Amino acid sequence: MPAVISVPAIANEAELRVFVSALSGVDQVGVESRVAKLGTRSLKTSTKRRAIDLAISMVDLTTLEGADTPGRVTSLCTKARRPDPGDPQVPAVAAVCVYPDLVAHARRVLEGSDVAVGAVANAIPSGRASLNVKLLDVADAVAAGAHEIDMVIDRGAYLSGRWGQVFDEIVAVRAACGEAHLKVILETGELVTYDNVKRASWIAMLAGADFIKTSTGKVGVNATLPVALVMLEAARDFAEQTGRLVGVKVAGGIRTTKDALKYLVVVNETAGSAWLSPEYFRFGASSLLNDLLMQRLKQRTGAYVRPDEFSGD
Amino acid sequence: MTDDALTSDLGALAYDPAPESSSIARLRESYGLFIDGDFSAPESHEQFATLNPATEEVLATVAQAGARDVDRAVASARRAYDRTWSKTSGAERAKYLFRIARLIQERSRELAVVETLDNGKPIRESRDVDVPLAAAYFFYYAGWADKLDYAGFGANPAPVGVAGQIIPWNFPLLMAAWKLAPALAAGNTCVLKPAETTPLTALVLAEILQQAGLPEGVVNIVTGDGATGEALVAHEGVDKIAFTGSTEVGRLIQERLAATPTRLTLELGGKGANIVFEDAPIDEVIEGIIDGIFFNQGHVCCAGSRLLVQESVADEVLRRLLRRVDQLRVGDPLDKNTDVGAINSAAQLARITELADAGEREGAVRYTGACALPDRGYWFAPTVFADVAQSHRIAREEIFGPVLSVLTFRTPEEAVAKANNSNYGLACGVWSEKGSRTLWVAQRLRAGVIWANTYNKFDPTSPFGGVRESGFGREGGRHGLEAYLNV
Amino acid sequence: MSERLDVKKTYKLVVNGAFARSESGRSYEVTTSTGAFVANVAQASRKDLRDAVVAARAGQAKWWASTAYNRGQVLYRWAEMAEARAAELVEHLQLAEGLKKREAQASVSRAIDRIVWYAGWTDKVTQVLGGANPVAGPFFNFSLPVPSGVVGVVAPQESSLEGFVEVVAAPLCVGNAVVALASERRPTPAVVLAEMTATADFPGGVLNVLTGLTAELAPHLASHEDVDGLDLSGCADRGDELARLAAASIKRVYRERDKGAENPLRRLRTFVETSTVWHTIGQ
C-alpha cells in the first residue's frame, strides 16, 4: 500500500499506470465479511424514518427501455416530483434518468421542480461505438437540457490494460458535458474483481468524474454491497487526497427498502456523513421507490401496506 | 477539506437504540449444580451472585461447589463412564451430539442473550459467533464419534475416562463446547467447571443435555470459584484435566499434576503479533486489526494485541486505524449495533487500567477512542498505544482488554524476530498480498495458529492451541481428539 | 358409512429437485414379491437420463461451492426427514423386499444411521485423505481431496433402501452430484427417500433418481461422457461390459468386491480426486 500519495495531474498513460498500479489490493474475503457485518446494523424508529426519506431523495428514477415513449416518461416525471400524492412530506426524488431522445420531453414535464434530468449517453449500455459517435451522443443530450450525463467506460479497453484510453475517453466526455454532471459507469459486473473496481474508480475520478456508478443495469451482475464498499472507500481516499468529493451511484437490482438501508449504512460507516446526501449518493432504480413508500407508510401506520397503494410508474 | 467531513459522525444516520430483549433469557433466580443428570444444591448450600457487567445488577445466584460436591460430580461421571457411556457405541454417541448441536441451534437466541447478559460481550458477537460456533463444534465432533478408527491414532482408540474441564469467562458457552464435544465423541465422561463470573450459559447447556436425553452423569457441571477448580484438579478420580485460562494458573495446575498420572492439556495466554507488510490490502488490514484486538473487548487469548507494522506504511496505517477506532460503538451489549461491550469484571477492569497506565508512564503515546461510556458497569474505551518499545510492559504482558500496542519493523526477518520475542506463542497474523512471503514468515513464527490476511477465525475443523507458555494440546479438528483418547 | 377410499400416489422421477413423469410418458408395473400390484412407476428414457446428467452437473457446482459443514447439515437433515417419515419407508420396504415389519424397521434404522455416518464425513475427509507434503525445497505443498464431479450409480437390485443409501450417500458426502438408477423391481423405497431431499435443503440436481429398466439405461449412463464416475453395484452381471463403456471417458468405476474384504471408505475414495498445490516460500 502506498504511503499518502498526493494525487498527480495525470499527464500521460505511464503516469496513470504508475499511480493506479501502486494502489493497494483489495482482499475479497475481507471486503465481503466487512459488508456482512455492516449488514447486521439495525435501523429502528426515527433512524429508520429518516433513512427512508433520505433514500427516497437519493433515487434516480430510471426508465431505459426500447419501448419508452413520451407518455411513459411523463408518468415517471410526475411520480418523481410527488412520489406520494397523498403525503406532501415525502421528498421528491433526485433525478429521472432517460435515453437522450427523451431528455427534452422530461425537462418540459419537470419544469419548475428540483428534480434533475439525467441522460445515459455514450452508446450505453455496451459503450461500443467510436469516440466521435459517443461524444455526439453526449452533446445531443446536453443540448437537449440534461443536467446529468451517464457514460459507461470501455471495459474492453480496461480489461486489456489500455487504461490511458479509458482515462482519455472520460476526459473527452467530461469536456463535452460542459455544465452537466458526469456519472461514470464502471459496469462492475464485467470488471469482476474488486481490484479492478478500485482501479477503475480511481481512473474515473482522476479523469474528472463527478460520480462513479456501478452498473448500467443491463448486464447479469449489477450493484452489490461489497462493490459499493470498495467504490466508497476509493471516493473517501480520493477526497482525502484532493479535497474533491466524488459521488457514488449504485444501480441495478436494488428493489427493497432493506437493501437500500444496508447501502446507507455502508455509506455512513465508510465514506461518512458527507456522502449521505443526494448530492453524493444515488440509487439508480425504478421499483425501489414504491417499496420505500410502502415502508414509509408502514412506519407511520404500523400496518403493512398493499402494493397497489402506490402508482405503478 | 476538513477532517470532520471525513470522519463518520453517523450524523444523519445516528442509530437509535436497537436492544435485544433481555426477557428472552428466561433466567431462573438461582441455579444448582448439575450432577448425575439433575440440578441439586451444594452441600454447603452456599450460593454466589453472577452479575451483568454492563449494569452491575445481579442476574442470578449459582451454587458454590465445594470439594465434596466435586467428589460427587466425579463419582457421577465415573459411574456414567463405567455403566453407560463406555458401553454406548460410537454411532449412538454421535446421535446424542447431533441432538445437542440441534438443540443449541434451536435455542440460539436465548443462549445469545444469556451470554451477553452474563459476559458483557455484544449481542452481535454472541449471536453471530459464540452460539453458532458452539453448535458447529458439537456437530463436527458428533461425526467423529463413530469414526475414531480413521483419526490416525490406530485402531480402536480408547477414551481416557473421566475428564475434568475448566473453562474461562471470555467465551463461556463456546469453551464449554470446545471441551465437551471432543471429550464425549471420544467416549469420555466429563466434569465441567465454568468460570466464576460467567456460569449461566453452561447451566442452560445443562438443560439442553437433559432435553437431548444424554444419560445421567455423562456430563456434570459444577459452578464455583478458583477453589472449585482446585478441587477438581486435585481429585484422584479424574483421568484428564483440560484447562483454558491464564498462564499463571496453568503453571500451578501443571505443577500440581506433575507427579500424577493425570493427563493434561493447557490453553493459556498470549500476546499475538499482527504483522502488516507494506503491500497488504490496507482497508482490510484496518478491519483485521480492529477484529484482532477489539473483538470481545480484547478478552481473547489469541488477540492481536501487538501490531507490528512495516515502517514504510506505519503512519498511514496508524492514521486510518485511529479514524476507525473512533467509529467503534461502545455501550449496551444487548444493542444490536454495539461493537464493543462491557469488561467482564471489576477485577479485569482494574488489571487493564493498571497496564494501560503503565504504558503511558513508560512513554508510549496513548490514543483513546472518542466514544462516551455508560455510567454504570465496567467499561474501558478502545485504546491504541503508538511508539511502543519491545521492552514496555504493554508489549510483553497479556492485557486481555481492548488495548493495542503498535510497534514497527523494517524487514521480514525483523518482523519475525520481534513477533517471536515473547514467552507466549498462541497466535499471529500476517498481512501481505505476497503469498511466498506470508508462508516464509508463517514458517518462522513460533505460534500455534497463524492467520494470513484475516484474524480471530475459528472453525471446528481447525486445530487451535499454543506453543511455549501459551500451553500445549490442540482443540479442534482431528488433532483435538488426541487429548481425549488414550493413545 | 363406507370405508374411506385411499388417495393413491404417483411415483415420479426425481430430477433437478423436481418430480417428473418420464418424458417418454412410459411407466411400468411394480409388484410385491408375491406379485401384488404396488404402483405404476415412471419408466425413464435415455433422454430423462440425459436431462438428469445436465441437472447433476449444475447441482454439483452448487453442492461443492457450499461449505463442508453445510453439506453435513443437509445430509443430517435428510436423516431427520427420513426418521420423521420412517413409517412410510418401513411400509415400502415391506412391500418391496417382503420383510416382516420388525425386519423392515431395523433396515430403515440402519439406513438412517448410515446417512448420519456419511453426514459426519463431509468435513472430515479433507483431514483424513489430504495433508501437507514435506517436499525437499522452499515450497509449501498440500494435497486436498476434491470430488470427481457427477457420479452415475446403478443401485443394488436387492437391497432397495440400505443398498441405495450406501451408493448415493458415499459420493454425495465428498461433494459429488449423483444420478442414480433405482432398483428396477424394488424402486419405491429409493424414490420415497429421494423425495425427502426436497425438504432437506438439497440444492436441485444434487441427487437425481431415475426408475426404469436397468438394462436399457445403464449403458447410456456408462457411456455418457459428462459422467465422471460410475458405481456398478446394481448390475454385477453386466459389470464388465459397462466398465468397458466407462473406459472411453476414463471414468472412475466402483465395482463391489467380496463383501468381507470391503473397506468402508473405498466407495467414498473412488469418487475423490487428489488436488495438490505447490506454493513458493520466500521473503
Side-chain angles (χ1 to χ4, degrees):
Chain A
M1 78 197 78
V4 183
I5 295 177
S6 53
V7 176
I10 302 295
N12 54 49
E13 176 152 12
E15 283 183 19
L16 181 72
R17 186 168 299 281
V18 166
F19 181 83
V20 173
S21 299
L23 294 167
S24 84
V26 182
D27 187 79
Q28 180 183 352
V29 175
V31 164
E32 291 173 2
S33 76
R34 169 85 172 126
V35 161
K37 216 180 267 184
L38 289 174
T40 68
R41 291 292 196 217
S42 176
L43 303 191
K44 297 277 183 208
T45 59
S46 67
T47 312
K48 187 165 186 181
R49 286 197 289 274
R50 284 201 310 277
I52 289 173
D53 279 3
L54 185 60
I56 292 171
S57 75
M58 290 170 162
V59 167
D60 281 1
L61 209 51
T62 304
T63 185
L64 296 174
E65 300 302 330
D68 285 344
T69 57
R72 161 90 183 121
V73 170
T74 301
S75 53
L76 197 74
C77 292
T78 310
K79 176 113 176 174
R81 295 176 84 137
R82 280 289 292 279
D84 181 357
D87 185 350
Q89 300 297 315
V90 176
V93 305
V96 295
C97 194
V98 295
Y99 277 123
D101 60 324
L102 289 161
V103 167
H105 179 73
R107 278 294 302 262
R108 275 194 298 281
V109 183
L110 286 169
E111 189 80 53
S113 82
D114 291 333
V115 178
V117 175
V120 298
N122 216 49
I124 275 180
S126 72
R128 297 248 71 84
S130 73
L131 182 58
N132 283 340
V133 170
K134 289 176 183 178
L135 292 176
L136 279 173
D137 199 15
V138 171
D140 224 24
V142 172
H147 302 104
E148 300 173 353
I149 297 293
D150 288 18
M151 69 168 284
V152 62
I153 65 163
D154 185 337
R155 283 86 67 208
Y158 177 86
L159 292 170
S160 59
R162 287 173 278 132
W163 296 350
Q165 186 183 332
V166 175
F167 180 89
D168 291 344
E169 192 171 297
I170 298 170
V171 169
V173 172
R174 171 63 274 178
C177 283
E179 293 291 300
H181 268 226
L182 174 63
K183 297 182 192 146
V184 177
I185 300 172
L186 309 178
E187 200 68 296
T188 54
E190 292 184 347
L191 298 182
V192 182
T193 69
Y194 299 128
D195 285 335
N196 281 341
V197 171
K198 180 171 182 176
R199 291 183 187 134
S201 295
W202 275 91
I203 292 171
M205 293 186 294
L206 290 167
D210 297 299
F211 257 84
I212 47 177
K213 174 177 168 183
T214 59
S215 323
T216 59
K218 300 289 185 189
V219 299
V221 178
N222 296 300
T224 66
L225 278 167
V227 157
L229 176 75
V230 171
M231 290 169 66
L232 284 157
E233 285 169 347
R236 175 199 62 197
D237 292 352
F238 183 82
E240 214 168 29
Q241 294 179 31
T242 64
R244 185 166 81 84
L245 269 67
V246 174
V248 174
K249 177 173 170 180
V250 290
I254 304 157
R255 295 193 177 83
T256 65
T257 301
K258 198 173 168 187
D259 286 344
L261 297 190
K262 283 187 183 177
Y263 279 97
L264 291 183
V265 165
V266 171
V267 174
N268 195 26
E269 300 201 27
T270 304
S273 53
W275 272 261
L276 281 175
S277 97
E279 208 181 335
Y280 295 112
F281 194 77
R282 298 276 182 88
F283 294 103
S286 40
S287 59
L288 170 65
L289 181 57
N290 266 7
D291 195 67
L292 287 165
L293 295 172
M294 282 166 62
Q295 295 305 321
R296 189 179 188 281
L297 193 56
K298 194 258 159 187
Q299 287 293 309
R300 272 154 187 76
T301 64
Y304 290 104
V305 181
R306 81 160 62 91
D308 287 331
E309 188 73 32
F310 300 102
S311 72
D313 299 317
Chain B
M1 105 167 294
T2 66
D3 275 356
D4 290 352
L6 285 168
T7 53
S8 173
D9 58 8
L10 312 179
L13 266 189
Y15 305 144
D16 283 330
E20 180 62 279
S21 164
S22 60
S23 64
I24 292 166
R26 296 190 294 187
L27 290 176
R28 298 190 221 156
E29 261 180 45
S30 75
Y31 291 84
L33 304 170
F34 184 69
I35 296 175
D36 219 7
D38 215 343
F39 288 95
S40 59
E43 283 199 9
S44 65
H45 289 279
E46 214 177 300
Q47 297 278 124
F48 64 96
T50 183
L51 303 184
N52 177 347
T55 62
E56 300 174 56
E57 284 161 8
V58 173
L59 292 166
T61 68
V62 296
Q64 165 69 41
R68 304 255 291 263
D69 300 306
V70 169
D71 195 42
R72 205 154 54 87
V74 173
S76 158
R78 175 63 59 193
R79 242 185 345 265
Y81 180 77
D82 290 340
R83 293 185 193 163
T84 328
W85 204 237
S86 61
K87 300 189 174 81
T88 305
S89 71
E92 295 301 297
R93 293 200 307 274
K95 285 195 280 184
Y96 281 116
L97 293 178
F98 278 121
R99 279 190 191 177
I100 296 166
R102 282 298 203 222
L103 288 161
I104 291 173
Q105 290 175 327
E106 285 165 20
R107 294 178 68 173
S108 60
R109 193 159 169 209
E110 173 193 356
L111 283 163
V113 172
V114 174
E115 197 73 300
T116 284
L117 285 172
D118 206 18
N119 170 278
K121 66 175 65 201
I123 187 75
R124 176 166 58 79
E125 291 179 7
S126 51
R127 180 195 65 203
D128 297 344
V129 181
D130 296 63
V131 177
L133 266 181
Y137 274 79
F138 276 104
F139 211 96
Y140 173 75
Y141 278 109
W144 271 123
D146 53 6
K147 300 179 184 68
L148 297 175
D149 282 349
Y150 301 94
F153 304 107
N156 292 315
V160 175
V162 174
Q165 306 175 313
I166 302 170
I167 56 172
W169 46 261
N170 56 345
F171 296 92
L173 177 71
L174 183 57
M175 290 302 106
W178 280 31
K179 295 281 182 283
L180 294 174
L184 298 176
N188 305 272
T189 57
C190 302
V191 178
L192 178 79
K193 199 288 227 188
E196 183 182 358
T197 58
T198 56
L200 294 179
T201 41
L203 296 164
V204 177
L205 183 63
E207 293 173 12
I208 284 174
L209 302 178
Q210 288 178 322
Q211 289 182 337
L214 190 71
E216 292 162 5
V218 171
V219 172
N220 304 275
I221 299 175
V222 289
T223 49
D225 57 13
T228 311
E230 268 186 71
L232 186 58
V233 169
H235 201 291
E236 289 187 354
V238 172
D239 300 304
K240 189 238 153 44
I241 290 288
F243 172 78
T244 297
S246 70
T247 294
E248 196 185 343
V249 176
R251 200 174 269 130
L252 293 173
I253 293 176
Q254 189 176 352
E255 196 191 341
R256 177 72 186 71
L257 297 179
T260 74
T262 309
R263 296 162 46 121
L264 177 65
T265 47
L266 297 171
E267 204 271 86
L268 309 175
K271 193 70 191 175
N274 210 356
I275 303 169
V276 177
F277 285 100
E278 62 186 359
D279 70 328
I282 188 154
D283 286 300
E284 292 72 55
V285 162
I286 301 302
E287 292 309 315
I289 297 169
I290 294 282
D291 285 342
I293 187 61
F294 300 122
F295 173 61
N296 202 30
Q297 297 73 246
H299 299 331
V300 184
C301 46
C302 52
S305 53
R306 285 184 297 158
L307 177 63
L308 296 180
V309 198
Q310 195 155 15
E311 264 183 37
S312 52
V313 291
D315 291 347
E316 175 74 356
V317 167
L318 189 63
R319 189 178 63 78
R320 287 170 179 255
L321 175 64
L322 297 183
R323 178 175 69 195
R324 182 70 179 85
V325 168
D326 275 338
Q327 286 186 347
L328 290 170
R329 304 169 59 84
V330 184
D332 182 4
L334 280 176
D335 192 308
K336 293 169 195 159
N337 294 326
T338 290
D339 297 320
V340 179
I343 301 303
N344 180 251
S345 66
Q348 188 57 30
L349 179 58
R351 170 161 175 80
I352 297 167
T353 308
E354 193 263 319
L355 273 164
D357 290 349
E360 251 178 299
R361 271 200 312 280
E362 289 181 328
V365 178
R366 180 174 184 158
Y367 182 88
T368 299
C371 53
L373 300 179
D375 298 332
R376 296 196 62 192
Y378 313 128
W379 303 94
F380 197 90
T383 296
V384 175
F385 278 101
D387 296 341
V388 175
Q390 285 280 90
S391 56
H392 288 164
R393 281 181 69 198
I394 53 170
R396 310 200 70 77
E397 295 180 33
E398 184 176 39
I399 299 174
F400 222 64
V403 181
L404 178 69
S405 302
V406 184
L407 301 90
T408 59
F409 68 88
R410 292 159 298 178
T411 64
E413 281 189 349
E414 187 182 3
V416 169
K418 284 190 165 175
N420 286 344
N421 184 211
S422 165
N423 286 333
Y424 293 113
L426 191 50
C428 285
V430 184
W431 296 81
S432 167
E433 295 246 288
K434 185 168 173 177
S436 63
R437 185 203 288 138
T438 297
L439 291 170
W440 187 92
V441 170
Q443 271 192 340
R444 284 158 181 79
L445 289 172
R446 260 193 321 247
V449 179
I450 290 137
W451 286 292
N453 288 0
T454 189
Y455 208 93
N456 273 340
K457 288 287 177 292
F458 308 96
D459 191 280
T461 66
S462 178
F464 181 92
V467 303
R468 307 182 112 199
E469 294 188 13
S470 290
F472 48 78
R474 291 293 176 270
E475 297 181 291
R478 187 178 67 74
H479 303 76
L481 289 166
E482 188 182 352
Y484 295 100
L485 289 172
N486 199 6
V487 290
Chain C
M1 199 165 156
S2 65
E3 200 180 308
R4 182 179 173 276
L5 194 63
D6 288 353
V7 178
K8 289 282 190 193
K9 175 169 165 182
T10 303
Y11 292 85
K12 298 186 183 178
L13 310 175
V14 181
V15 175
N16 204 17
F19 310 101
R21 294 188 176 84
S22 169
E23 62 77 36
S24 67
R26 298 179 304 177
S27 65
Y28 68 106
E29 190 177 308
V30 170
T31 60
T32 65
S33 50
T34 55
F37 174 75
V38 174
N40 290 313
V41 168
Q43 185 185 331
S45 68
R46 159 167 79 86
K47 287 183 181 169
D48 292 317
L49 188 144
R50 174 201 62 191
D51 293 347
V53 172
V54 171
R57 180 61 62 195
Q60 198 271 332
K62 286 182 222 153
W63 185 234
W64 182 236
S66 65
T67 62
Y69 178 50
N70 190 244
R71 288 194 296 277
Q73 298 228 338
V74 169
L75 288 174
Y76 182 73
R77 177 100 180 134
W78 194 24
E80 288 182 335
M81 291 298 140
E83 185 95 22
R85 287 171 62 180
E88 187 183 352
L89 288 168
V90 167
E91 205 176 300
H92 278 284
L93 205 52
Q94 282 184 267
L95 290 173
E97 298 186 13
L99 301 176
K100 294 200 180 73
K101 186 160 186 180
R102 223 181 20 202
E103 293 166 340
Q105 281 169 333
S107 177
V108 168
S109 295
R110 284 193 300 272
I112 292 170
D113 286 0
R114 201 63 178 163
I115 296 177
V116 172
W117 194 72
Y118 278 115
W121 269 118
T122 59
D123 52 9
K124 295 174 189 69
V125 282
T126 308
Q127 283 186 338
V128 171
L129 302 183
N133 314 310
V135 293
F139 302 98
F140 179 57
N141 176 303
F142 58 96
S143 296
L144 301 175
V146 297
S148 298
V150 172
V151 174
V153 160
V154 184
Q157 300 297 337
E158 302 300 315
S159 179
S160 61
L161 184 68
E162 284 183 73
F164 175 78
V165 164
E166 197 63 42
V167 293
V168 301
L172 284 175
C173 85
V174 288
N176 295 288
V178 169
V179 175
L181 309 183
S183 163
E184 180 176 319
R185 306 313 315 170
R186 302 171 168 183
T188 60
V191 171
V192 171
L193 188 67
E195 283 171 359
M196 297 174 193
T197 61
T199 50
D201 303 325
F202 273 70
V206 170
L207 175 60
N208 306 277
V209 176
L210 303 177
T211 50
L213 309 185
T214 306
E216 178 190 351
L217 295 170
H220 293 297
L221 193 59
S223 64
H224 196 307
E225 289 188 2
D226 205 30
V227 171
D228 306 294
L230 187 66
D231 186 331
L232 293 173
S233 302
C235 50
D237 52 334
R238 296 181 63 194
D240 293 349
E241 173 200 339
L242 294 168
R244 270 186 217 106
L245 285 174
S249 50
I250 322 286
K251 285 183 184 28
R252 289 83 181 101
V253 178
Y254 182 91
R255 298 177 70 179
E256 284 194 337
R257 298 176 186 158
D258 296 341
K259 282 279 184 215
E262 203 58 284
N263 179 309
L265 285 195
R266 187 168 72 88
R267 184 175 266 117
L268 183 156
R269 281 188 278 107
T270 303
F271 302 116
V272 158
E273 315 290 328
T274 298
S275 163
T276 297
V277 180
W278 294 67
H279 196 304
T280 55
I281 298 175
Q283 294 192 56

